[in-house]
């Protein structure tokens, strides 16, 4: 499975961006899709996950209420709508998928099988 992330860019604080992640194969009902990010000087961080075809959705506290994860299975694509962006949201954003994962593991990067190449989001103050 290949993932292609896109949609990053340079924006100002308060602006919005929508990231996309296209998968090379059809996403099934058991597929969990997620976004992680890697900021300069920090470890890779969980952002949001869509567990098993929207059965459960979870967000990091830092993005809750501002970011929305969604998926369009007909297009084999996942999205991350990011509103009210802050400078601390600056990072490379990665999409990831897993077919065999339990809910408690969705926050761990190690649980995901496939990764996209990342798309850079820069938020200026």
């Amino acid at each position: 499975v290949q993932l292609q992330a896109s949609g990053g860019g340079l924006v100002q604080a308060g602006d919005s961006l929508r990231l996309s992640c296209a998968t090379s194969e059809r996403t099934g009902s058991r597929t969990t899709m997620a976004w992680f990010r890697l900021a300069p000087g920090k470890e890779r961080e969980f952002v949001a996950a869509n567990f098993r075809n929207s059965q459960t959705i979870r967000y990091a506290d830092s993005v809750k209420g501002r970011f929305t994860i969604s998926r369009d299975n007909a297009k084999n694509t996942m999205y991350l709508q990011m509103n009210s962006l802050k400078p601390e949201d600056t990072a490379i954003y990665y999409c990831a998928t897993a077919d065999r994962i339990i809910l408690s593991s969705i926050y761990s990067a190690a649980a995901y099988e496939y990764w996209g190449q990342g798309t850079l989001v820069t938020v200026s103050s």
Side-chain angles (χ1 to χ4, degrees), residues 7 9 13 15 29 66 88:
D15 286 350
S29 61
R66 299 187 298 122
E88 51 264 43

Side-chain angles (χ1 to χ4, degrees), residues 13 16 23 26-27 30 42 48-49 53-54 59 65-66 68 73 75 85 87 89 91 108 120 123 125:
S16 298
T23 67
R26 182 179 178 181
T27 53
R30 293 183 62 83
K42 295 185 178 181
N53 201 24
S54 304
Y59 298 96
R66 299 187 298 122
T68 302
N73 290 335
K75 296 182 178 179
L85 282 162
D89 294 318
S108 172
L120 177 62
V123 184
S125 58

Side-chain angles (χ1 to χ4, degrees), residues 3 21 23 27 31-35 48-52 69 71 73 76-78 96-98 112:
L3 307 181
C21 177
T23 67
T27 53
T31 301
T32 294
M33 307 183 76
W35 290 95
N50 181 305
F51 177 73
R52 293 187 184 177
I69 187 172
R71 60 198 282 175
N73 290 335
N76 296 336
T77 301
M78 171 178 65
T97 66
Y112 292 84

Side-chain angles (χ1 to χ4, degrees), residues 14-91:
D15 286 350
S16 298
L17 273 177
R18 189 177 80 157
L19 305 183
S20 298
C21 177
T23 67
S24 61
E25 296 183 10
R26 182 179 178 181
T27 53
S29 61
R30 293 183 62 83
T31 301
T32 294
M33 307 183 76
W35 290 95
F36 287 78
R37 66 187 181 185
L38 181 62
K42 295 185 178 181
E43 295 185 353
R44 185 164 42 185
E45 174 189 28
F46 169 82
V47 176
N50 181 305
F51 177 73
R52 293 187 184 177
N53 201 24
S54 304
Q55 181 181 119
T56 303
I57 292 177
R58 291 287 186 267
Y59 298 96
D61 288 342
S62 58
V63 307
K64 201 172 294 183
R66 299 187 298 122
F67 290 11
T68 302
I69 187 172
S70 62
R71 60 198 282 175
D72 185 337
N73 290 335
K75 296 182 178 179
N76 296 336
T77 301
M78 171 178 65
Y79 304 98
L80 185 68
Q81 177 66 42
M82 305 186 296
N83 298 330
S84 302
L85 282 162
K86 303 175 181 180
E88 51 264 43
D89 294 318
T90 295

